[in-house]
Amino acid sequence: MVVRDAISAPDAEGRPRRVTRRFPLFTRDTARPEGGGRAAPRDAPAPARQWPVLAVLATVGIGLLLTALDQFRLGTLLVGVALLAGAVLRWLLPDVGMLAVRSRFTDIATYGVLGSAIVLLALMVQPDPWLVIPFLKDTLHFTVSSS
């Protein structure tokens, strides 16, 4: 019999020890996040199995390319929309492959907050903002005003 750690070692009569809530002495791997399974069957090619994360990364890549081509507002808007789409995919699909990084709630909150912030900043970028929020302008003038 192979004993992996103190918790899995059998007692004197060969029965497994009672289950405890203590962590094992040595951790061999980490648990895959909920929903971290393949997004397509095992026999599908690798890109098809990871299509959710590839879709988000491709959209972010296009957004960064547009930003590099001097379309800052449109590029950053696309990056924010890609993160929001990642949050929606994480919420709706049972398995999203490598798009699952942490727990479902944490992933949705992270993608959603970052995506929303990037979209809002892209809409408010100067000159000629597409979205004007008056209290933010007043707050900025109040905090940065010169005496």
Side-chain angles (χ1 to χ4, degrees), residues 20 102 120:
T20 67
R102 298 163 201 87
L120 284 175

Side-chain angles (χ1 to χ4, degrees), residues 83 87 102 104-116:
L83 288 174
R102 298 163 201 87
R104 187 176 302 260
F105 173 79
T106 305
D107 284 343
I108 292 170
T110 303
Y111 295 144
V113 168
L114 290 176
S116 299

Side-chain angles (χ1 to χ4, degrees), residues 78-109:
L78 201 55
V79 169
V81 167
L83 288 174
L84 290 174
V88 170
L89 287 172
R90 186 72 170 102
W91 182 34
L92 294 178
L93 298 178
D95 291 318
V96 289
M98 291 174 55
L99 190 62
V101 179
R102 298 163 201 87
S103 70
R104 187 176 302 260
F105 173 79
T106 305
D107 284 343
I108 292 170

Side-chain angles (χ1 to χ4, degrees), residues 7-65:
I7 294 174
S8 64
D11 63 7
E13 297 171 6
R15 294 179 306 218
R17 291 189 182 199
R18 66 181 178 84
V19 178
T20 67
R21 295 180 63 181
R22 282 188 267 159
F23 289 105
L25 186 58
F26 298 105
T27 305
R28 305 235 185 275
D29 61 357
T30 56
R32 188 169 54 188
E34 173 193 352
R38 296 177 188 90
R42 176 181 289 253
D43 58 344
R49 292 192 308 260
Q50 297 297 334
W51 73 265
V53 73
L54 291 176
V56 171
L57 287 176
T59 309
V60 167
I62 293 169
L64 292 175
L65 180 65

Side-chain angles (χ1 to χ4, degrees), residues 62-78:
I62 293 169
L64 292 175
L65 180 65
L66 286 173
T67 303
L69 295 175
D70 209 22
Q71 295 295 320
F72 179 77
R73 184 186 319 260
L74 190 59
T76 52
L77 190 61
L78 201 55

